[in-house]
Amino acid sequence: MEELKNNLGKILIAGPCALESRLQLRECVKALKEDGVKIIRASLWKPRTSPGWEGLGDEGIDILLEETIPHGLIPATEVIYAEHVEKIIRELKKYGTDATAVLWLGARNQNHLEQQRIARAIANSGMNIYLMAKNQAWHDERHWVGICEHLLSGGMPKDRVLLCHRGFCPGLLPNPREYRNLPDMLMAMRVQAKTEVPMILDPSHIGGTRDNVIDIMLEGELYPFDGMIVEVHCNPDEALTDAKQQLKPQRLRQHMDRLEAVQ
Ligand code: PEP
Ligand code: MN
């Protein structure tokens, strides 16, 4: 896990919600690299609430790898099926057997048979791939711990598993700040302790708006999270997905400068 950490000892993953084009990613990577970000997120297969653009899919794999690995960066993307993992592994191998990537299961991926297949595909590949699991959309501690257990039972080595708190669907709960998803920081800390794997925070999918994202990043600092995954886009208003919540790189940099100053 050490290779995922930045100079503050945290796992910081940043980048656009979705990979939209090579130029979009290139511009974002350039800014983030200057700011010391080592892990670049950009999703290829986008689960959508309503029908719409679903991401570049398979044709984005090469773009993601080519725009990160040769620059000394680690690519990160969501996978929905074990077939996605297999396609990524095939391309990743071209960069050598020690090439590194972070893959994750999104909040909507709740089929434990598929979770195990994904874990198995990674474990059997022998590649240096980390697998992150976000919490499911509904508020249930046992289920979230269970996701981690399914990944381990599928053969994923524990030292390459991490978890991510992206909040829970508000449902009928009070939501005065109109967060997109409600955080339960204390549950995240309990799951971190129970599973003994790193837990990072996703302020983007909790906040849902740029100002809320910043507030959640600040709130997250009060808890011992192991890092953060943040959506960053150079032209967020034009983003094809999650336009309201993606930060410009400058805004993430301001936050990182503040964190460094208080260290
Ligand atoms: C995402 O990271 O862009 C995403 C779809 O997140 P989640 O699975 O948390 O909704
Ligand atoms: Mn998103």
Side-chain angles (χ1 to χ4, degrees):
M1 214 52 81
E2 283 308 304
E3 66 182 318
L4 299 188
K5 295 184 181 161
N6 65 8
N7 56 339
L8 299 176
K10 298 283 185 186
I11 300 166
L12 174 61
I13 308 175
C17 175
L19 201 168
E20 298 169 6
S21 71
R22 187 182 288 277
L23 283 181
Q24 169 239 15
L25 184 62
R26 189 172 285 174
E27 192 185 3
C28 193
V29 164
K30 185 170 179 291
L32 292 172
K33 189 177 177 195
E34 280 167 14
D35 295 339
V37 175
K38 294 205 303 191
I39 314 171
I40 305 292
R41 67 156 286 157
S43 288
L44 308 175
W45 299 281
K46 293 301 303 172
R48 299 304 304 265
T49 304
S50 314
W53 184 73
E54 293 173 356
L56 289 188
D58 296 5
E59 67 177 278
I61 300 177
D62 278 349
I63 300 177
L64 177 60
L65 304 190
E66 285 165 13
E67 297 297 327
T68 52
I69 298 174
H71 304 283
L73 300 166
I74 298 173
T77 197
E78 177 173 349
V79 286
I80 299 165
Y81 302 114
E83 286 72 23
H84 293 158
V85 176
E86 277 152 14
K87 285 176 184 170
I88 289 173
I89 288 170
R90 216 173 298 137
E91 297 307 314
L92 192 63
K93 281 190 170 158
K94 297 182 182 162
Y95 294 84
T97 46
D98 58 351
T100 304
V102 175
L103 303 180
W104 78 82
L105 298 171
R108 293 163 178 82
N109 202 330
Q110 297 311 322
N111 176 338
H112 83 272
L113 298 173
E114 199 58 38
Q115 293 169 352
Q116 289 174 338
R117 287 182 69 224
I118 286 171
R120 217 172 287 128
I122 294 175
N124 291 344
S125 74
M127 295 291 287
N128 192 28
I129 296 176
Y130 293 83
L131 182 57
M132 177 170 88
K134 291 196 176 192
N135 64 265
Q136 74 288 342
W138 63 96
H139 192 222
D140 178 27
E141 186 165 335
R142 260 185 355 135
H143 186 95
W144 193 7
V145 171
I147 300 172
C148 184
E149 290 170 346
H150 285 307
L151 299 184
L152 298 173
S153 73
M156 213 34 228
K158 192 164 182 178
D159 60 359
R160 279 196 269 126
V161 172
L162 55 158
L163 297 174
C164 171
H165 186 34
R166 52 77 82 198
F168 298 103
C169 277
L172 300 174
L173 291 172
N175 186 8
R177 309 288 302 273
E178 299 193 354
Y179 289 150
R180 182 171 175 191
N181 291 289
L182 289 178
D184 184 340
M185 303 293 190
L186 293 175
M187 187 198 287
M189 293 300 107
R190 286 195 300 275
V191 174
Q192 180 193 47
K194 262 187 211 167
T195 58
E196 299 175 313
V197 302
M199 172 71 69
I200 71 169
L201 181 67
D202 174 347
S204 305
H205 292 86
I206 294 175
T209 65
R210 287 186 254 292
D211 288 342
N212 280 348
V213 172
I214 303 287
D215 287 349
I216 298 293
M217 291 199 306
L218 294 172
E219 189 185 337
E221 281 171 42
L222 304 174
Y223 301 87
F225 281 99
D226 297 283
M228 195 164 66
I229 178 167
V230 194
E231 288 188 340
V232 176
H233 195 293
C234 289
N235 191 3
D237 290 334
E238 302 297 320
L240 298 180
T241 56
D242 288 350
K244 290 201 190 102
Q245 71 194 31
Q246 302 204 58
L247 304 182
K248 286 197 174 174
Q250 299 87 300
R251 204 132 182 223
L252 176 62
R253 184 184 314 147
Q254 282 164 7
H255 181 75
M256 298 313 296
D257 287 349
R258 215 187 50 78
L259 280 185
E260 276 182 39
V262 297
Q263 274 290 302

